Amino acid sequence: MSPTNPRKRTQLFLSVAWLVCLQSVLQPVHAAVSDHTPATTIKLADNVILRHRFVDDSTIEFTMEAQTTGFLALGFGTTSLTNVDLIWGSVNSSGVGSINDYWSTSASSQVADTSDGGSSNVTLTDSSESGGKTSLTFQRALNTGDSKDTVISMGDNPIVWAIAKSGAADPEALDLNGNINSATLKVQKLSWLTATFGSVEVKWNIDDSLQEIEMQMIGDTTGYLSFGFGSSMGAADVYVGSYTTQANCSDAWSSAYQAPPADASNDISGVYGDQNNGKTHIGFFRALNTGDDKDIAITRNPMSIIWAVSGSD
C-alpha cells in the first residue's frame, strides 16, 4: 500500500471535519453559563450606538460607537447635565484609548471624581478608531459606593450623551449645553442560545428591533476557528476568527475546500474576544439580512452550519 499523499490527507481531514457537523442544524438549546451576557443595543442617533452587557451580577460593560474622531461622553442620573455621573473618553492619534470618570454639576462645569472627593471607578477594556469611527468599551460596577457615581439599576435609567466632532481634549472643549442629548436606557440581562459542534461552541442572540444578531464562537484552540452557514464548503457564508494581540474576524465566502477569501463587503462589526487557557473566544455583530449576495440571510428557522478549527493561526 503506497503512502498517502500528505496534501490529500489534509483535504480529507478538512472534508470530514466540516461534513460531520452537517448532520446537525443550528437550533436553540438551553444557554450555557457565560461570563458575559449578550449585548442590548440602542441606536442613539444616526451612526451613534450604545451597547450594554453584564460581565457578572454586579458589573456592567458598555460599548459606545460614533462616527467621530473626537471624544464620546455618556452620563447617568438625569436628562440634563445637572448632577450627572459623566464618563467620557477618546482615542488619540497614536491609537491609544483613554476613559475618564467625571461629575457634572452643569453644562459648563465638569470635574474629575478624584478631584472632587470621589474615585475613578471605570475601566477601559477596548478602544479603536478606524474609518472616522471611534469605539470605546468600558466597565464599572452597578453600584460603586462612590457619592460621585450614580447607581445603575435594572429597568429604565435616564442618560445623557454627547460626541465631539474631532480632537477635543476634554468635555469642556465641547459646548455641551448646545450638543447634549438625552435618552432612556433600559438595562436588562439577556441570555444566549447555544449549540456545540465538535470542539466549537456557537452562541447567538437576535435583536428583532434592530434586525441584528450577535454571535460568538468558542473553541479549544490557540489558532483560528470558524463556522459558516451553508451545506458544504462549496457554497458557504463563513466567519474566520483568531486572537493575536486583539480579536480578529473576517467575513468570507467559501466556494472550495480551501481557506475562504474575505468578502468584498465586510458586513460584521463590533468584533471582540480573548484567548485564555488554550481557548479562543470571538464575537461579532451582523444584520440578519445584509443584502450581500456573499452573505446568507439568517432566520429563526433551523440552519445548517459548517465549522473548523486549527492549532495555529
Side-chain angles (χ1 to χ4, degrees), residues 271-309:
V271 175
Y272 63 91
D274 58 28
Q275 192 173 87
N276 290 298
N277 300 318
K279 188 183 291 287
T280 297
H281 168 190
I282 303 294
F284 60 88
F285 299 82
R286 63 152 274 190
L288 295 177
N289 188 346
T290 67
D292 185 344
D293 62 2
K294 297 299 183 184
D295 292 330
I296 291 177
I298 298 172
T299 71
R300 289 186 178 273
N301 298 320
M303 298 181 68
S304 295
I305 75 164
I306 56 178
W307 58 270
V309 295

Side-chain angles (χ1 to χ4, degrees), residues 205-213 288 300:
N205 179 69
I206 292 176
D207 186 325
D208 288 311
S209 63
L210 294 177
Q211 287 293 287
E212 180 183 69
I213 188 169
L288 295 177
R300 289 186 178 273

